Structure formats: structure tokens, C-alpha cells
Amino acid sequence: MTGLRVWALDGIPEITAGADLVALIADAAGDTLVDGDVLVVTSKIVSKAEGRFVQADDREDAITAETVRVVASRTSATGHTTRIVENRLGIIAAAAGVDASNTPVGTVLLLPVDPDASARALAAGLREATGAHVGVIVSDTLGRAWREGQTDSAIGAGGIHVFEDLRGGVDAEGRPLVVTQPCVADELAAAADLVKGKASRRPVAVVRGRADLVGDLDLPGARSIVRPAEKDMFHLGAAESYTAGYAAGAALSSTAE
Amino acid sequence: MTGLRVWALDGIPEITAGADLVALIADAAGDTLVDGDVLVVTSKIVSKAEGRFVQADDREDAITAETVRVVASRTSATGHTTRIVENRLGIIAAAAGVDASNTPVGTVLLLPVDPDASARALAAGLREATGAHVGVIVSDTLGRAWREGQTDSAIGAGGIHVFEDLRGGVDAEGRPLVVTQPCVADELAAAADLVKGKASRRPVAVVRGRADLVGDLDLPGARSIVRPAEKDMFHLGAAESYTAGYAAGAALSSTAE
């Protein structure tokens, strides 16, 4: 019965600005980590350690500041507006990833400044502190197109392959696996969410059993998972695209008159 | 060290049309299954057991037949056209989920006729055969908007909660978790993919440690994960939406003349 084991670390305290995450995670892990373990760290505690708190009154301004591009927005019958935006990390998320749950009352939390850099620093620090050759994923809870609900995904990665590249491989019949490129970083983040629990304070999970994915600290980070807008067939919401097309069609007709 | 264990079953033979999946999975599992285990079954073997083979020459026709609606299509510089379509199950996927890898030479494979019904039948059969109160997810490998690569997701579910509904819950500060609805079925499918391996013949994984998600056979299936097009801000590709808007804008201008 080989396979994966996935568990959450107990004993991580409430994180405040300036906290030493390497020391706190190493303490919580004790001597349990081994070479090839992957630590999946909820982005929220990375943000807290970085002091990325903003007053809740400034939430809408904070979302606007984090926004590079509005991808889609819709106002419900009750007047609530959902804004799906591309943030400065290239990630497409509701409210630009600005988070209002499990933060001190009166505050909201921005995403880490550079989740890939944070993940690499954590991986380097934890390798040093524990002696175990570990990889680190920084995860966030993201909605998606076409499917209800959310899954945890990788927004930062250090010392780990984010894709399992099978494109040079063959299937069981010997035919090339041409387009298959599993995003193992997102799958690891999803697996970790199953043991963390959203309402509890267990923001770090360990995944053991895919040591083959752990590697050098200079491997590409989670930024490489983000599809550039110009390659994405869904880079803009359907209503927004229609509106832009409508304006262009109307303008061309007027010009042609 | 509680948490999850995830492992793939050895000993599932190549599946042919008419195969008794309940018997084959129960044999492979032996006496290892316990109450609350979740079996994640790759849709490919469900399709094979259902005899959903089509001659490869008819692949494009098969995709067209499975397609309810073209969501987006793009032709690359090399002339290869990618069609993202909504299939008859409501799932948005490249090539309507028609699969050409790990199938007998000269054939392609359609998705199961009704993956939720298949998952429920497998759960019922495995509960009967093994005495263990298990849940079943039928998984498929899906691409997504905005992010490169693929992850395994749930396209069928039987005897398992597909969402962990926290919407009535509170965070650690006592504030309501208003919009959080983790899609645990997709997270379980993702975790299982990490142990299955695309090129090997290990199409069934067991996830142990989330017995709280296993329940009655009449729970909503994976169809409930599919967001209806009218609620989806990305129900049509950006280029397709732009084109439709352009035509409407141009037509209105002509009418107005």
C-alpha cells in the first residue's frame, strides 16, 4: 500500500506580521519531515507574516489596487457585484484574491507580494532547518469557469515541479501522450485542502509520496501555470466581449456610411 | 498523524466491453476497503466496460455527435483546430471528452453514457460485494480556463457529497463563511490522479480519511458541479462573443440608417 499520505500540522499559532514561518513550521513538524515531502502552505499565513493587512473599509480600494484588468463582472438582482479580475500576479480570481475570512476583525488580507519567492524562501529555509529535501507550495482557494464551488490551487511553488510533463511519453499502447500535462502543483494543493479544513487553524499540510516531483529551488514557479491572456480563449467574460464587439460593429457601420 | 491515505489498486486487468467492474474492483481491493473509503475510478474504464468505442476514422463525427454547443474554437498556425465544447453531460471540455489515448489501436472512446448513474451503480455494487460503506467518484482529465495543464475532476459521483458546504459555518473569528463551497469531489479526483499515473494501468484509487463525505446513494451527483451556461460569465469564448456582438452592432446600425 504505497501511495500518498496527506496530513495537516498541528501547533501552528495565529500568524502575525513579521512571524518567522520557517521556524514555526519546522517546530510544528518536529522531526517528522523526510526527503521528498511537500509542504502545502495556505497563502493566508504567508500574507499575514508579510503584514499584508488592509483596513476593511478600504476593501474595494484594495481590490482595485490589486487589479490589473477586469475580466468579467456581474451585478446580481440583490445589487451585489461580483468582479472577476486578473491581479498583478496574473491570477484570475474573484475580488483579486483579497480575503476577508479568518483575518482580524476590521481587516482584510491581500495576497503575498510574490508567492513564488515566498515558496522558494520557505523551501530553502525548511531544507536548512530540518535537513529534509522538501518542496513548498503556497495555495489559495480559487473559483473557476464552468464549474461551481472552489478548489485549492497553487499560486506559489518552490523546489517542486508544477507540471508532470508527459508530453514526451507514451501511453500503454505506445502512442505519444501529446497534450497531457497534469498540473500536479494544483493537484497537491487540492489534496492538502482535504485535510486542512477551512474553519480550523491548520494552514499547513504535508504530502508524502511524490518525492519525484521535488527538485531544485530554481525550478519554474506557479507563475508558469498562469496562461497568458493572449493564449487564453476565455481571457474576457462573454458579456464584456460581446459589448466590445457590439461597439466595434456599430462604429464600423457608422464609418462606412 | 491522521489525515488521508491515497493509493492505487493493483491488479485491474485491461477492461473490455461488458466487463463487470464491481467484481473486478472488489477482487483488486480484496479485504482492504473499510467504511468511508472513496474509490476514484477513471472514466476511461467505465466507458470501456460500457463499450463506448468508436472507430478512430469517425473521431471528428463522434466529437460532433457528443457536442451540444461549441464554446470556443481556435486554429493554430500549424492548422490544428482546438474545439472547446459543452457535451451532452453539460461538461465543457476539449474534443467533448472524446479520448484517443490508452484505447485499442484504431479506436477512440466516448465518455460514459451517464457517469453519475455509473458511479451510483458502482457504489451500490461495491457496498454489496465488500460490505464496506464506500463512495465512488468517476474522474476525467480536464483542461481549464486561465491555467495551463490539466487536473482530474469528478464527472460522476455516487454515495458522496460533492461539495463540502460551509456556507452556514463561521470562520475562526466567528464571521460567516458566506461564499465558500469547496468542491471536494474535484479535490478527491485530483488527489487520486497523483497516485494513478497516466501511462500505467492503475485506473482505480482509494482515498481513506474523509468518511464524513460518504453518504446515501441518492445524494446529488457530479452533474450538480456543472454551472449552467446562463449563470456562467464564461459560457462562450471571448472571440465568439466578440463576433456575435460585432454582428449585432453592425446589424443595428444598418437598421438605424
Side-chain angles (χ1 to χ4, degrees), chain A residues 4 6 102-103 144 146-148 150 154 171-172 175 181 183 186-187 193-194 210 225 232 246 252, chain B residues 4 6 102-103 144 146-148 150 154 171-172 175 181 183 186-187 193-194 210 225 232 246 252:
Chain A
L4 288 188
V6 190
N102 282 313
T103 56
R144 53 267 176 91
W146 316 326
R147 295 173 78 77
E148 301 284 1
Q150 303 89 35
D171 72 9
R175 286 166 301 190
Q181 191 185 27
C183 184
D186 281 350
E187 294 185 328
D193 190 44
L194 290 167
R210 287 301 307 265
I225 303 171
D232 197 314
Y246 190 96
L252 190 74
Chain B
L4 286 188
V6 191
N102 282 311
T103 56
R144 54 266 174 93
W146 317 326
R147 296 174 76 77
E148 301 283 1
Q150 304 88 35
D171 71 8
R175 286 167 300 190
Q181 192 185 26
C183 186
D186 281 350
E187 294 186 328
D193 190 44
L194 291 166
R210 286 301 307 264
I225 303 171
D232 197 315
Y246 190 95
L252 190 73

Side-chain angles (χ1 to χ4, degrees), chain A residues 188-210:
Chain A
L188 288 163
D193 190 44
L194 290 167
V195 302
K196 286 180 187 171
K198 286 274 182 296
S200 66
R201 284 203 173 104
R202 301 210 301 172
V204 180
V206 183
V207 183
R208 178 169 297 167
R210 287 301 307 265

Side-chain angles (χ1 to χ4, degrees), chain B residues 90-250:
Chain B
I91 296 166
I92 293 179
V98 174
D99 188 353
S101 65
N102 282 311
T103 56
V105 172
T107 66
V108 297
L109 200 56
L110 309 184
L111 287 176
V113 173
D114 182 345
D116 280 329
S118 303
R120 286 193 189 104
L122 284 170
L126 287 166
R127 288 177 185 188
E128 177 77 18
T130 68
H133 192 254
V134 299
V136 171
I137 286 171
V138 172
S139 67
D140 197 26
T141 302
L142 297 179
R144 54 266 174 93
W146 317 326
R147 296 174 76 77
E148 301 283 1
Q150 304 88 35
T151 56
D152 272 19
S153 298
I155 67 164
I160 187 160
H161 294 270
V162 296
F163 296 110
E164 181 163 33
D165 200 334
L166 302 175
R167 286 176 299 178
V170 294
D171 71 8
E173 298 287 347
R175 286 167 300 190
L177 287 165
V178 277
V179 295
T180 307
Q181 192 185 26
C183 186
V184 283
D186 281 350
E187 294 186 328
L188 288 162
D193 190 44
L194 291 166
V195 302
K196 285 180 187 171
K198 285 275 183 297
S200 67
R201 283 202 174 105
R202 301 209 300 171
V204 181
V206 183
V207 183
R208 177 168 298 167
R210 286 301 307 264
D212 59 305
L213 299 175
V214 174
D216 293 341
L217 293 175
D218 60 357
L219 283 168
R223 181 79 196 212
S224 67
I225 303 171
V226 174
R227 182 177 293 142
E230 65 273 16
K231 283 184 60 186
D232 197 315
M233 290 190 264
F234 302 91
H235 59 85
L236 190 64
E240 288 74 11
S241 299
Y242 184 95
T243 300
Y246 190 95

